[in-house]
Amino acid sequence: MYQVVVLQSVRQTMAAINAQLINELNAPEAADRLTEAIIRTVDSLSTMPYRHPAYRPSRPLRHEYRYTRARNHLVFYRIDQAEQVVTVTHIVHGSQDLDSYLD
């Protein structure tokens, strides 16, 4: 089993998404459903994280990223095979320009 680490910036993104769904769109149920989906998705990365595809960027990146879907958002992560650690680096709405989020 891999240890799953969620970056603080991802936690902040999740909080901002929740706030937008609740405060701006008046959709607390949608916020709950999305949060639950993201948590399930992130938790599932502890086993077989290579089962999800590698992201194919339009430009070279410093790291290989993999991704999986949680409702209408994509969860990006890196795998450190030697340390058996999966690091969740980004959560991005599927309609966004994905290359601009990754380094």
Side-chain angles (χ1 to χ4, degrees), residues 25-102:
L25 302 177
N26 196 27
E29 296 86 9
D32 289 344
R33 286 191 302 270
L34 178 58
T35 298
E36 289 172 12
I38 291 171
I39 290 170
R40 276 194 311 274
T41 300
V42 168
D43 287 347
S44 77
L45 296 175
S46 66
T47 58
M48 296 176 46
Y50 286 101
R51 73 184 178 276
H52 300 294
Y55 178 67
R56 304 220 187 279
S58 62
R59 62 182 168 75
L61 300 175
R62 284 188 286 167
H63 304 284
E64 177 187 78
Y65 291 91
R66 292 186 173 266
Y67 67 97
T68 185
R69 184 170 295 279
R71 299 186 67 83
N72 54 358
H73 286 72
L74 298 175
V75 176
F76 284 88
Y77 61 95
R78 296 187 311 241
I79 303 169
D80 181 336
Q81 183 62 35
E83 298 293 325
Q84 297 282 292
V85 173
V86 172
T87 303
V88 178
T89 60
H90 299 82
I91 294 179
V92 181
H93 191 277
S95 67
Q96 299 297 310
D97 173 18
L98 303 177
D99 279 358
S100 67
Y101 285 90
L102 304 174

